[in-house]
Amino acid sequence: MDSVSIGFWGAFFGATGLSLVAAVLAFRRSARRVAITGSLSALLSALYVLVFLGWIPGASGEALLRLQAHAAALAAAVLGLMLFWLLGVLRGGRARSIVVATAAATAAVVALGWWLPPHEALALGVALQALLAVLGLVAALRSARRGASAGWLAVAGVSFMSLTIAGVTCHAFAPESTPWPVHAASALAAIAYTACMASAMWARYAYLIDVRQAMVHGPSYDPVTRLASHHETHLIVGEAFARGYREGWPLGVLVVSIANLDALEHLHGRAAYNHGLFICASRLRRVLPAGVELGRLDNDAFLLLAARPHAADPLIELAHQVVQRLTRAVALGTSKELAELEASRTTWVADIGVGVLVAPPQMRAPTAVAAAKAMSRTAWSYASRVACYDEQAKQIAELVPEPAR
């Protein structure tokens, strides 16, 4: 290997060292799972590259090929499982089946490799890598489409790692004829993979810090708009209604009420209550379209304000999207300690209702908010969980989503 190729791979190992330092800093801040996952990801990536480049003392010829075959299978399995954990795939009842299936496939590839010639064993290990890379890319794309912060980073990371795998595999099969541009591209892709996964881990770490803040500070801490108190939310409402009255425009008011927060607190404590509130707020923030303001309302509700709604249909569609997003099951932490947030978990599904109101310009803000809140609580008894006021019947009515065409 020429000096240019060695220089590029040296840059990769330097990036790996920086990733390990960041993992140590996370460990000192008690984010142990994040630190351990980040450290393992960096170390396994570095060891995998070392083995495939042949920089292992005493290993050459057929022995090196078999070592590369085993390294390909084991590194792909461990890194794949860590990626699934990062994306939230390893949760609930399917976690054990995924781990068992991955371990069984890896063991089968390693065992079968001893019965095959060295080059065929290496090809089998690389095939397992390709399979897990495709599965990881699919899981990352699904996570990204759901709005997860680490989703697109994982998509980029898996893509870059696939380029690295292709480059070092070419070197493993033909070490003497691999040109330096292949090494350069592989090393740069490996550096990009390290940066993407470190960023994804940091996003996960920042998320845990936010969760801890919400669980410690409770309802006085607003995880949606970062307001210091409910009083400021009511000021925003007053200003919006005053502006609508001056300009003669109606105001769309949606109230999202959560029915089972108190039950969650009684069963699992205040920390779980705060975590559930935080999750609902985060999901609301991701589904929120442009031009809609969001704030806290009391201890178990959220308020959405849409200025100048031209019709009720977009508000109704938004209400059904909110119901669909917030009623997904979530695993809650019950401990206030940062290191134990992902260890102490209970499954919870928010029981919500959404009230939809298009307030005319002359309607007072307290009246509009109170009406929308009353409708949201009435919606708890509806199958669609969305309610509005029927002017013709002079009563609160259910809003059923239109069937998909």
Side-chain angles (χ1 to χ4, degrees), residues 222-229 233 236 281 285 293-296 303:
D222 185 0
V224 184
T225 59
R226 298 302 191 262
L227 297 176
S229 66
T233 300
I236 293 175
R285 189 165 58 244
E293 293 187 86
L294 183 60
R296 284 284 303 282
L303 179 67

Side-chain angles (χ1 to χ4, degrees), residues 121-141:
L122 178 56
L124 185 62
V126 173
L128 178 62
Q129 278 186 313
L131 174 62
L132 290 175
V134 170
L135 294 176
L137 187 60
V138 171
L141 284 171

Side-chain angles (χ1 to χ4, degrees), residues 238-403:
E239 292 175 1
F241 272 85
R243 186 168 58 251
Y245 178 78
R246 290 193 305 268
E247 298 176 0
W249 285 94
L251 193 67
V253 181
L254 279 74
V255 172
V256 181
S257 296
I258 308 170
N260 56 344
L261 275 176
D262 288 337
L264 179 65
E265 181 181 9
H266 293 322
L267 288 174
H268 301 287
R270 191 67 176 183
Y273 173 99
N274 293 333
H275 193 178
L277 197 62
F278 173 83
I279 291 294
C280 290
S282 299
R283 290 177 172 180
L284 269 175
R285 189 165 58 244
R286 287 196 293 268
V287 79
L288 199 67
V292 178
E293 293 187 86
L294 183 60
R296 284 284 303 282
L297 184 66
D298 299 331
N299 291 335
D300 61 350
F302 297 93
L303 179 67
L304 287 74
L305 294 176
R308 301 183 179 183
H310 298 287
D313 291 344
L315 299 178
I316 296 172
E317 183 179 354
L318 174 60
H320 289 298
Q321 290 177 358
V322 167
V323 171
Q324 184 179 11
R325 179 64 64 91
L326 266 65
T327 52
R328 294 176 182 172
V330 61
L332 296 181
T334 57
S335 171
K336 297 180 183 179
E337 297 298 326
L338 184 61
E340 300 178 10
L341 280 180
E342 296 188 330
S344 56
R345 288 186 166 272
T346 183
T347 302
W348 178 70
V349 177
D351 185 9
I352 72 165
V354 182
V356 180
L357 174 67
V358 179
Q362 66 274 14
M363 180 175 283
R364 297 177 63 249
T367 304
V369 173
K373 184 176 180 181
M375 287 186 281
S376 71
R377 293 177 180 270
T378 304
W380 289 339
S381 61
Y382 295 151
S384 67
R385 299 307 174 100
V386 180
C388 71
Y389 187 75
D390 190 337
E391 292 290 346
Q392 295 181 349
K394 300 299 181 182
Q395 64 180 8
I396 297 175
E398 180 181 8
L399 285 173
V400 180
E402 295 182 1

Side-chain angles (χ1 to χ4, degrees), residues 7 18 75 78 156 161 182 197 215 217 232 257 266 271 284 332 337:
L18 291 177
V78 177
M161 177 50 77
V182 174
M197 298 313 295
M215 294 168 69
H217 294 288
E232 294 187 32
S257 296
H266 293 322
L284 269 175
L332 296 181
E337 297 298 326

